[in-house]
Amino acid sequence: MSTPAGLPRRPRWVIVLCLVLAAVFVIVAGAYLYVRPLLRTGTGYAAHNLCAVTDVAGRTNASTDLPPNPLVPFLASYKNKGYAYVNVLGLLAGQTAYYTEGLGCTIAPRPPDFPVAEPVPASTLLTGEPALDPALDEAIGRAFGDGLSADDVQALGTRGIVVVKDGVIIGERYAEGFTSNTPQLGWSMTKSVANLLAGRAVQQGVLRLDDAGLRPEWTDRRAEITVDQLLRMTSGLEWDEEYDLGTPITEMLFDSDDMAGFVAGQSSAHEPGTFQQYSSGSTNMLCAVINERLDGGPLMPRDQLFAPLGLSSAVLEPDASGTPVCASYLWATPRDWARIGQFVLDDGVVAGQRLLPEGWVEQSRTVTPLTSDAPGEYADEGAGYASSWWTNLRGDGTLAVPELPEDAFWAQGHDGQRMYVVPSEKLVVVRMGFTPVSRDLELVQLLQAAGS
C-alpha cells in the first residue's frame, strides 16, 4: 500500500524498533504480573513488620527484625502516623499496613473500620520478685549469651526471659532496648492461645470439638474436618508452611484480606484425621470458626481472654476482614505471656473463676494417635504436637527432651519464642527473642535450674 500524498514515509527501522519495544513491554509487563504476587508477600511482610514494631512495640529499629531475604536491598519504606507503606524499587508491588489502637497493624487496601478497643486493666496475678538464686541467675545469663562474643550474643538474640514459680516471678531479665513493658511478637505461640479461645467457646456451649461442616463451600470430604482436627493439625488440607516468597503461608499472612477464606480454598490432600501437618492455615481457619460462634469480631480475644486475665499489653492483630490472626499475631510483654502460662498451669481458672472446661488443659496437652499409619510432618525436632501445644511426652511414650519432666509442654514460635509450662514443678518459663537461624537457646538448663 502506498503512502498518501504529502505524508513522509517512515523508515523501516522505525517500524521494527516500535515492534521490538512493544514486544519488550509485553514481556516485561507479563513477567511483572507473574512475579507480582511473590513480591507482594515480601512487601506485605515488611510493611506489617514496620508498622507493628513501631506502633505496637514502640521501637524505632524495625529493620533489625527482618531476616535476610533477597528483596530487602530493593525495598522502599515509608512510615507515617498510623500506617506503613513498602514497595519494590519505589513503585512496584506496594503494600500498606494500617495501625488501629488496641488492635495493632492490618495489611489492607484502605484503613479498616474496626471498633474501639477499650484499655484492659493490668492483672496482679504475678506479684513479688524475690532475689535471684545464683544458679538460676547463671542459667538466665547463659540464655542471654553471657561470656559469648558480641556477634554470638546478637545471633542468640534473647530479648526477654521471665521465670515464674508458684505464681511468683523468681527470675527476669531483658536485653538492651527492651523492658518489662515492651510487647513482643509471639508468632506461633499465638496458636496455643487459639487453643484457649477454643476452650472459652466450648465452655460457653457454642462450640464442640467434634463439630464439622465448618465452611458452606466445603461439600467434599473437607466437610468432615472437625474443630479438634484443626487444633491438632490433622485437617488434611493442602499446605506449605515454608516461609518463602509466594508460598501459602506467606501469601495468606501478607497478601490476603480474608485469611480464613484463603485457607478454605485449599484442596484436600489427605483424609481428615489421618495425617498431621503443621499448618498456620488450620489455626486461622479455626479462629474464624470461633469468632463466628462467639459473634466476636476483632475484639473477640480481648473480650474472651485478655480482659479476664488482665493482659493489658496483649494485642492480637486481625486481618482486613476483622478476623483475629490466631496463628501468628499476638503481641504481649513477656510478663503477660507468663500470665497466660500461669492461667494454663491453673487449669483455666483465674481469680476463682473457671474460664475453660475442667480438664481442657489435660486433654489439650495429650497427643492423639492418628487414625491411620500415615506419617506426620512436624515443625519441631521430634516433639509431640497435641491440641496446638508441643509436648515433651510423645505419642509413642518417649520423651522429646529427656532432661525435662514428662509433663512439660510448651508454646513455641518463629525466631525462638518459647513459653514452657511444667505442672509438676509449678513452673512457667517465657523466652522471647529474635533468632532467625536455629541454634541452642540454652533453655533446658534454665528450666532445670528454675525447677530445682
Side-chain angles (χ1 to χ4, degrees), residues 259-282:
M259 298 190 192
F262 175 84
V263 177
Q266 304 301 303
S267 62
S268 176
H270 305 277
E271 188 73 28
T274 67
F275 187 84
Q276 188 172 51
Q277 181 179 24
Y278 191 83
S279 166
S280 292
S282 290

Side-chain angles (χ1 to χ4, degrees), residues 427-446:
L427 178 68
V428 175
V429 174
V430 171
R431 185 270 187 188
M432 309 297 292
F434 182 63
T435 316
V437 179
S438 179
R439 61 178 295 156
D440 183 0
L441 302 178
E442 303 289 349
L443 296 181
V444 171
Q445 183 190 45
L446 172 58

